[in-house]
């Protein structure tokens, strides 16, 4: 109610072309004056990426705001945050990930961009953004509810080998500019 989004709307069918690919589906979380995503807990990387992808797609169809609310964040994505090449880059990550395992992990990516933002805006932050991402991935590998990560990376001694240059470039190019713009 505080966002004054109006009444909820039915899912919106989408059929668009992006860089030679056809994107077909439905977008939910729609209201009269924007989109709304929320979590009754701290923000997760998957929430941020989901809201961002939704925002990029909906703004291909119509210009609108997207709100992402969680216990620790109140984020607003505006149409100005959409660059034409962003959706193409996400489709490329998806496409390549279908051929071989990819180095993009959403939770470490959120840790990375949060720490990189702290490094830019605060003189009290000292840990590198990559170290924050590695710590997050290391914690996840140890969780019983992440058996895939444990199976794939449980024996990796140095997770820098997993979160390498490709991961950092994806964080810096796809997520960091938006995170910085909305903070």
């Amino acid at each position: 109610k505080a966002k004054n989004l109006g009444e909820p709307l039915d899912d919106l069918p989408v059929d668009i072309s992006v860089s030679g690919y056809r994107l077909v589906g439905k977008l939910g979380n729609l209201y009269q004056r924007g989109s709304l995503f929320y979590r009754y807990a701290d923000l997760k990387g998957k929430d941020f990426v989901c809201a961002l992808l939704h925002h990029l797609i909906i703004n291909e169809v119509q210009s609108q705001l997207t709100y992402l609310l969680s216990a620790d964040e109140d984020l607003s994505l505006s149409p100005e945050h959409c660059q034409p090449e962003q959706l193409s880059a996400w489709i490329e990550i998806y496409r390549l990930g279908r051929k071989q395992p990819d180095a993009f992990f959403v939770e470490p990516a959120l840790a990375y961009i949060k720490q990189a933002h702290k490094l830019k805006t605060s003189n009290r932050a000292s840990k590198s953004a990559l170290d924050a991402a590695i710590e997050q991935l290391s914690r996840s590998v140890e969780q019983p509810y992440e058996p895939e990560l444990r199976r794939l990376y449980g024996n990796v001694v140095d997770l820098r080998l997993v979160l390498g240059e490709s991961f950092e470039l994806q964080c810096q190019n796809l997520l960091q500019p938006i995170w910085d713009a909305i903070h």
Side-chain angles (χ1 to χ4, degrees), residues 39-53:
R39 171 183 284 279
Y40 295 115
D42 288 348
L43 183 69
K44 302 279 188 242
K46 64 184 175 183
D47 303 322
F48 183 63
V49 170
C50 182
L52 176 59
L53 287 172

Side-chain angles (χ1 to χ4, degrees), residues 90-104:
W90 284 105
I91 289 172
E92 187 64 13
I93 289 171
Y94 173 77
R95 192 185 69 74
L96 291 174
R98 290 189 50 132
K99 291 183 177 184
Q100 66 183 29
D102 191 83
F104 187 76

Side-chain angles (χ1 to χ4, degrees), residues 129-149:
L130 184 58
D131 285 341
I134 289 169
E135 285 177 16
Q136 195 291 326
L137 182 59
S138 180
R139 284 190 306 272
S140 293
V141 167
E142 298 302 317
Q143 298 302 319
Y145 54 82
E146 296 280 10
E148 309 86 19
L149 289 178

Side-chain angles (χ1 to χ4, degrees), residues 48-116:
F48 183 63
V49 170
C50 182
L52 176 59
L53 287 172
H54 172 96
H55 184 69
L56 294 171
I57 294 167
I58 192 72
N59 278 276
E60 286 284 321
V61 177
Q62 64 193 32
S63 181
Q64 82 169 40
L65 294 168
T66 302
Y67 297 97
L68 174 57
L69 306 175
S70 67
D72 61 338
E73 295 284 349
D74 181 348
L75 306 175
S76 300
L77 296 164
S78 69
E80 294 79 43
H81 295 128
C82 297
Q83 303 301 320
E85 70 281 354
Q86 289 173 316
L87 192 51
S88 299
W90 284 105
I91 289 172
E92 187 64 13
I93 289 171
Y94 173 77
R95 192 185 69 74
L96 291 174
R98 290 189 50 132
K99 291 183 177 184
Q100 66 183 29
D102 191 83
F104 187 76
F105 296 89
V106 293
E107 302 310 326
L110 182 63
Y112 183 100
I113 62 175
K114 282 183 168 184
Q115 185 65 22

